[in-house]
Amino acid sequence: MSAAREWNFDGLVGLSHSYAGMAHGNLAAEQHAGQVADPRAAALQGIAKMRRVQQAGLAQGFLPPPLRPDWHFLHALGFRGAPGAVLDAAAREAPALLRAAWSAASMWTANAATVSPAADSDDGRLHLSVANLSSQIHRALEPRQREGHLRGVFAAAARFAVHAPLPGAPGLGDEGAANHTRLCADYGEAGVQVFVYGAQGQRFRARQARAASAALARRHGLAPKRCVYLEQSAAAIDAGVFHNDVIAVGDRGLYLAHAQAYSEPARARAEVEAACRAAGVPLRWVEASAQDFPLADAVGSYVFNSQLLDDGAGGTWLLGPQTLREYPRVVRWLEQLVEEGVLSRWETMDLKQSMQNGGGPACLRLRVVLDAAGADALLPGAVATPAQLDALEAWVRRHYRDRLALEDLRDPALAQECAEAQQALAELMGWPELLACH
Ligand code: SUG
């Protein structure tokens, strides 16, 4: 596999983006619970990020939001009748479940699936395993529709293998690429895959199970000696690191992490180093020490939740959230990385609407390595060309509200608006089958 590139598939933010405070262990989401959201701004901020990456010469795609509310879920819970009656009864009898049914958390496509490039798999196909997201009710609703989206975008079975989610059982929690990093010499060459699972915190539960990560490696046909499993430290989980991508990020041979990310830090690093050495992957492991900045600043700034992107000249640049500028020690650390040549540059973008729910730049994208033939086999409507981004922006301006409070989730007009927007999105993508994913 030569001339492979990394694609970023961002999640298009849905019309029902809200602050429902549903994500346990996610400090930003808990802190903003009950605030009024601006779905239109959220979606436009996401599109602006896609445009920035696309303009930098990188390959960009997007995944549609699932239809909301999730009527299957509400009907399965026993709410019956016309849409207004279902929403009313759910608002009265099970408001938390109603909020889950409306969740727009699918925007964070780093949790959509775990992806193994063709160069790493024993059958030479790209493998994608839909994440079960079983640790939180509102997120566990995503995989049903998401599987349909991934089967549509990556439909060419000779090149792509889309796997159904693992059973959503205790001990098999899987949150997708947010807990997975691939290291390689270059995108098209065989790499090492780092899977991170959780230790039990005192305050918060771990979301990713080791057994799930191991199952993904088996399904994807990965060579065991090219897989490493690292345990997140309980201290990190308790400090608000609900996914590994809140505390570490990698690109090709570069791995940035906070020193307190893993249970046995020296061993974690040694294992990744050994696997990379054996695989011929030139690893540059860069740690921020607790003196550089504490765990609390890593979580507050979301610096590790940045995108590390190919600068086209063999180097890596960092696209981070604007919030990190409020943390002088984090900024100093980034400046130092540029001085040392670890990064060629860094910049930030305003993603406030997503950030207030604990979703930074890295959460909003799913990385997929594709060669030219793989790229040609994608669903064309999911490719974020400049024209498609213009069309998406116009679509958002036409269909989205700029104010959404939790009381609005009982409004049947919002459900109607979502259905109409989904219909228009299917047309915009030239993909009528989107409407069958509901
Ligand atoms: O699962 N927030 C998401 C944020 C996911 C971020 N993704 C990555 N780190 N890759 C979560 O915690 C908040 C929604 C709410 O509470 O209304 C939420 O689901």
Side-chain angles (χ1 to χ4, degrees), residues 3-16:
R5 305 177 72 194
E6 180 179 274
W7 284 66
N8 284 285
F9 282 84
D10 282 36
L12 193 55
V13 178
L15 283 81
S16 59

Side-chain angles (χ1 to χ4, degrees), residues 55-56 83 164 190 200 203 208 247 256 275 279 297 319 345 365 435:
Q55 281 171 348
Q200 204 48 48
R203 257 176 106 194
Q208 180 87 27
I247 195 94
L256 306 181
D297 281 18
L319 178 60
R345 65 177 197 279
R365 61 93 172 95
L435 300 175

